[in-house]
Amino acid sequence: MNGISDTYGTPRTDGCKGSRKREADSVRDNKVSEWMDIIAERKEEILEKVRRGETEHSIPLGAASFTYKQWNKLMKNVDRAIDDMQERIQEDEEKAEEAAKNAEKDSVTAEMLETLLGIEYDAEK
């Protein structure tokens, strides 16, 4: 056994070590007390909201939970994003069609080859 022991064989602690332990316990107790105060305040806020009727029903979806107001806001944002994406897709398709039309105008056609060279050109080959 290390250190000094009393007559019963239990180790004695220095006054210094004991006071540090008491300080650590006191700090821990203060933190627990602060957390308990915060929790009590939050519980009181929730009770006041319930008494005033300011709470909303919440619907759990997977790991998240949404009130009707939050859900509607989310759905409006999703709808807006879908509409924006559809507009961009439509614009891209129109640009691609326009580019294809311009490419057709600029390309040499089978009729042009026949006229210029005087031969029959089979485009399917």
Side-chain angles (χ1 to χ4, degrees):
M1 186 180 314
N2 293 339
I4 303 171
S5 61
D6 63 7
T7 55
Y8 299 106
T10 56
R12 289 186 349 204
T13 58
D14 276 352
C16 182
K17 288 181 182 176
S19 67
R20 286 185 191 154
K21 185 177 185 311
R22 283 190 296 274
E23 286 176 17
D25 289 344
S26 175
V27 168
R28 188 184 69 233
D29 290 343
N30 285 341
K31 286 182 181 179
V32 169
S33 171
E34 288 175 22
W35 282 107
M36 293 303 289
D37 290 343
I38 291 169
I39 291 169
E41 289 173 12
R42 182 67 180 138
K43 284 170 64 175
E44 188 61 36
E45 289 173 13
I46 292 170
L47 284 173
E48 279 300 312
K49 282 186 172 184
V50 170
R51 287 183 190 131
R52 288 181 284 184
E54 295 178 356
T55 59
E56 294 183 44
H57 293 282
S58 181
I59 302 168
L61 296 172
S65 179
F66 297 96
T67 63
Y68 289 115
K69 184 187 283 185
Q70 291 169 329
W71 182 255
N72 288 335
K73 181 179 177 184
L74 177 66
M75 288 298 104
K76 285 179 184 175
N77 289 337
V78 168
D79 289 341
R80 189 175 312 121
I82 290 171
D83 291 343
D84 290 345
M85 183 61 72
Q86 287 175 339
E87 286 177 16
R88 278 187 255 153
I89 290 171
Q90 186 176 1
E91 289 172 4
D92 289 346
E93 288 174 350
E94 290 171 359
K95 286 178 184 177
E97 287 176 14
E98 186 68 30
K101 286 180 184 177
N102 289 338
E104 286 176 9
K105 289 178 184 175
D106 294 339
S107 67
V108 177
T109 64
E111 292 175 5
M112 290 178 175
L113 286 174
E114 289 174 1
T115 305
L116 289 173
L117 300 176
I119 60 170
E120 276 190 46
Y121 179 75
D122 190 9
E124 293 179 9
K125 287 185 181 179

